[in-house]
Amino acid sequence: MKKVELDMIYLLSCGVNGNNPDADYIKKIELEQLYQMSCEHSVEALIGMVLKQAGVSLQKEWNERIAKAVRKVLLFDAERAKLLSFMEQKGIWYLPLKGVILKEYYPAIGMRQMSDNDILFDYSFSKEIQNYMESQGYETISVGKGNHDEYKKEPVYNFEMHRALYDATFKSDWEYYYTEIKKKLVLNNGSSYGYHFTDEDFYIHIVSHGYKHYVG
């Protein structure tokens, strides 16, 4: 493994665990290589935050990327809240997925960068969701293809509305396990239609989803 890769992993560990990196270690890091590597893996915000907390002066572009990552999360949160409020009003059950949940476990906003909002929902209301998204200025990228519908809006918004977590074209046993997923979900406190996984099922989904990306 290259030193820049080891540096990135070390700083990622410091970031997610809320630890300050070793000052002597920091002095030996090649910042430009680390920046490029971090961008390739979409972790430049987390790495940059850790370095700034350690007193390292970052280039302008790196600081801008950190600011954009924070802004994007805030914009996503606000837009998602509007969508979920609409779903509550219309009686559409929903389950936020993956990064929407994971980002809350990071020590600071923006550390866990996001490219989209993933939400599993009652697909019998697909048309209602499409009408709502388009009324909010979203472009419908795809509907009824694969296991999710996709909507985008400038400057950064991207929603993937999942009709299912997996389909039989990938692994039939995964598709079978999640066929009646709603029976496995837990209703959120203070919500009539919002659900969450048990810890065990959240873990299973994250690991299986990561494997799906790995083999792809």
Side-chain angles (χ1 to χ4, degrees):
M1 185 176 288
K2 298 178 182 178
K3 182 179 182 302
V4 65
E5 295 168 346
L6 291 171
D7 292 343
M8 183 177 72
I9 292 172
Y10 168 66
L11 293 173
L12 287 173
S13 175
C14 289
V16 298
N17 290 294
N19 299 326
N20 291 322
D22 182 78
D24 291 331
Y25 188 100
I26 291 291
K27 295 176 182 178
K28 301 174 184 178
I29 290 178
E30 173 49 59
L31 287 179
E32 182 56 34
Q33 288 186 5
L34 178 63
Y35 173 64
Q36 296 300 328
M37 176 66 70
S38 299
C39 288
E40 289 178 13
H41 293 277
S42 298
V43 292
E44 70 272 16
L46 192 160
I47 298 293
M49 289 180 189
V50 173
L51 291 173
K52 290 182 72 172
Q53 291 169 2
V56 177
S57 179
L58 303 179
Q59 57 179 282
K60 179 182 177 182
E61 183 181 352
W62 202 337
N63 280 309
E64 289 176 346
R65 280 183 172 260
I66 294 173
K68 287 180 179 178
V70 173
R71 174 175 175 265
K72 193 172 187 179
V73 169
L74 294 175
L75 290 173
F76 272 19
D77 284 353
E79 198 75 353
R80 186 175 60 257
K82 289 166 55 180
L83 171 61
L84 299 187
S85 176
F86 168 79
M87 297 175 81
E88 287 279 349
Q89 294 171 21
K90 297 298 182 180
I92 307 171
W93 72 261
Y94 58 88
L95 170 71
L97 302 168
K98 299 182 294 186
V100 177
I101 307 301
L102 284 174
K103 69 181 179 62
E104 300 300 327
Y105 291 91
Y106 285 68
I109 294 174
M111 273 192 168
R112 203 291 184 177
Q113 292 170 239
M114 297 183 68
S115 59
D116 53 34
N117 283 261
D118 294 279
I119 301 172
L120 180 70
F121 76 111
D122 183 349
Y123 59 83
S124 65
F125 288 89
S126 292
K127 191 59 181 178
E128 286 82 354
I129 293 297
Q130 183 179 3
N131 290 340
Y132 170 81
M133 298 302 281
E134 292 179 350
S135 75
Q136 298 298 307
Y138 282 83
E139 176 187 1
T140 298
I141 304 302
S142 66
V143 170
K145 300 177 182 178
N147 67 321
H148 66 262
D149 303 333
E150 186 173 6
Y151 303 94
K152 290 186 177 182
K153 181 173 74 171
E154 295 294 338
V156 297
Y157 303 109
N158 184 7
F159 279 80
E160 291 189 356
M161 303 299 294
H162 291 252
R163 298 185 307 280
L165 294 180
Y166 297 107
D167 56 48
T169 60
F170 187 68
K171 277 189 174 293
S172 59
D173 51 343
W174 292 11
E175 189 269 342
Y176 175 76
Y177 180 79
Y178 290 114
T179 297
E180 296 185 340
I181 184 61
K182 191 168 180 287
K183 294 181 179 180
K184 302 177 185 293
L185 303 181
V186 181
L187 185 66
N188 296 336
N189 289 331
S191 172
S192 298
Y193 298 97
Y195 289 83
H196 61 273
F197 278 124
T198 63
D199 289 346
E200 293 80 5
D201 270 324
F202 183 78
Y203 178 79
I204 290 170
H205 181 241
I206 287 296
V207 172
S208 62
H209 184 78
Y211 175 76
K212 175 184 175 182
H213 278 287
Y214 175 75
V215 298

